[in-house]
Amino acid sequence: MITLFLKCLLGAVAVLVIAILSKSKLFYIAGLIPLFPTFALIAHVIVIQEQGALALRKTALFGMWSLIPYLLYLITVYFLATKVSAWLCLSIATVNWVLAAAILIYFWQLYQ
């Protein structure tokens, strides 16, 4: 139960830091905070405890490939941010992320 609380606390701290930075002169750093491996650390600890070091390596490799959907999300936001409403921009970017992630998962399962 304590470990679950610590995981929640870690996520809450990340959200708090994003909120504080987004209101500062360094607002752009708020885009770096989600890349701090908060959830990756949690996932990696759980994977290595449950599956071992080889599974952790495979998880890390998949994590590297998972940067592609995130990159597509960021590219979409970059190009649409000044062309459409913020909500439409973020919605399209999110749909692009979901589609790219689904394709990644499909091919990962196909070739693993």
Side-chain angles (χ1 to χ4, degrees):
M1 188 66 156
I2 290 176
T3 57
L4 182 59
F5 174 76
L6 291 175
K7 293 171 189 172
C8 293
L9 185 61
L10 194 57
V13 168
V15 171
L16 181 62
V17 171
I18 290 169
I20 291 168
L21 283 171
S22 67
K23 295 177 183 181
S24 75
K25 291 179 182 179
L26 303 173
F27 62 88
Y28 50 88
I29 297 176
L32 180 63
I33 301 306
L35 297 177
F36 181 80
T38 307
F39 298 109
L41 285 167
I42 294 166
H44 292 162
V45 167
I46 293 169
V47 167
I48 200 164
Q49 288 175 344
E50 299 291 328
Q51 301 288 331
L54 289 176
L56 179 59
R57 285 189 69 198
K58 189 178 251 187
T59 302
L61 180 60
F62 183 78
M64 288 183 241
W65 281 99
S66 72
L67 293 174
I68 295 170
Y70 188 64
L71 179 62
L72 181 59
Y73 171 87
L74 291 177
I75 289 169
T76 304
V77 169
Y78 180 81
F79 284 109
L80 294 182
T82 58
K83 296 182 179 17
V84 299
S85 71
W87 289 113
L88 183 58
C89 170
L90 296 176
S91 296
I92 293 170
T94 301
V95 168
N96 284 346
W97 183 92
V98 169
L99 291 173
I103 291 167
L104 172 63
I105 291 168
Y106 173 78
F107 281 106
W108 183 266
Q109 290 177 343
L110 195 64
Y111 292 107
Q112 289 300 310

